[in-house]
Amino acid sequence: MFHRTYRFNNSKNKQRGQQQIIAGVLALVLIGIGLYFAVTHFLGAKDTQTSQGATSDLVTMIGNVQKTYQNVSTGYTGVTSAVLINNGVVPSELVSGANILSPFGATPITVASATLYTAGDAISFTVQVPPANCSDFANTMSSNVAKMTVGGTTIVDTTAGTQLSPTTLGTACAGGGGAQVPVVLIASR
């Protein structure tokens, strides 16, 4: 009788042990799923915050540039990053020596004279943007520029009547194959 009782109790203990292991594994899986969603949400919020900060800095810079050049007879001819930095029109957090830093990474923003109607009547800023930030960034910037291209595709052109199309923008932002997408912002005086 002792032998049967011992074997019966021993099998019950094995079952309890197996149930505890299964419960522990299930708890770990649920914790892992929770962590995955928390990290995903955090990274999404971080991307949005980065886009908003970049937009704010660039809108400020474009406004400062327009004020500085509004009465210059030669327009934006000869403008460079160094000229803008030396004139104090670039927000200080974007300045590194003679470069204007991109809020999206190590690639500097390039600055050049551009043409909308006549030579030098506009200025272009080329910003390399990660695909995750591309659409938000371009959507927000579209109302602050006369012309914008994303990955070589014209998204906005006030001179030609081209208005923002979410479909075109989405395709252009995804066209980089995961690499940063060049967004060219052209502003006039």
Side-chain angles (χ1 to χ4, degrees):
M1 186 140 203
F2 173 74
H3 185 62
R4 277 190 202 171
T5 305
Y6 174 75
R7 211 173 354 166
F8 179 72
N9 285 338
N10 195 23
S11 69
K12 269 187 162 182
N13 286 339
K14 278 185 181 179
Q15 280 181 334
R16 273 193 220 123
Q18 290 170 345
Q19 289 172 347
Q20 288 175 343
I21 289 171
I22 291 171
V25 168
L26 185 59
L28 288 174
V29 167
L30 291 174
I31 290 170
I33 290 171
L35 284 172
Y36 169 78
F37 284 112
V39 168
T40 303
H41 177 72
F42 171 76
L43 292 176
K46 184 179 175 192
D47 284 345
T48 300
Q49 185 178 16
T50 301
S51 290
Q52 290 171 349
T55 301
S56 175
D57 288 341
L58 288 171
V59 167
T60 299
M61 183 171 57
I62 289 170
N64 290 344
V65 169
Q66 289 170 326
K67 285 178 194 170
T68 301
Y69 280 85
Q70 69 185 351
N71 295 320
V72 176
S73 63
T74 57
Y76 296 103
T77 303
V79 72
T80 64
S81 297
V83 169
L84 296 181
I85 291 168
N86 292 338
N87 281 300
V89 299
V90 180
S92 60
E93 61 269 10
L94 296 181
V95 176
S96 176
N99 289 320
I100 301 173
L101 299 177
S102 170
F104 297 110
T107 306
I109 295 171
T110 58
V111 177
S113 178
T115 301
L116 287 175
Y117 300 103
T118 60
D121 68 346
I123 185 169
S124 73
F125 301 91
T126 303
V127 184
Q128 299 296 325
V129 181
N133 301 104
C134 181
S135 186
D136 284 342
F137 177 73
N139 265 309
T140 305
M141 289 305 298
S142 67
S143 62
N144 296 292
V145 295
K147 186 175 182 179
M148 176 173 50
T149 63
V150 175
T153 302
T154 300
I155 301 299
V156 172
D157 187 347
T158 57
T159 64
T162 306
Q163 296 181 346
L164 185 112
S165 161
T167 304
T168 305
L169 177 59
T171 302
C173 285
Q180 290 202 335
V181 182
V183 177
V184 179
L185 308 167
I186 300 176
S188 62
R189 294 190 276 173

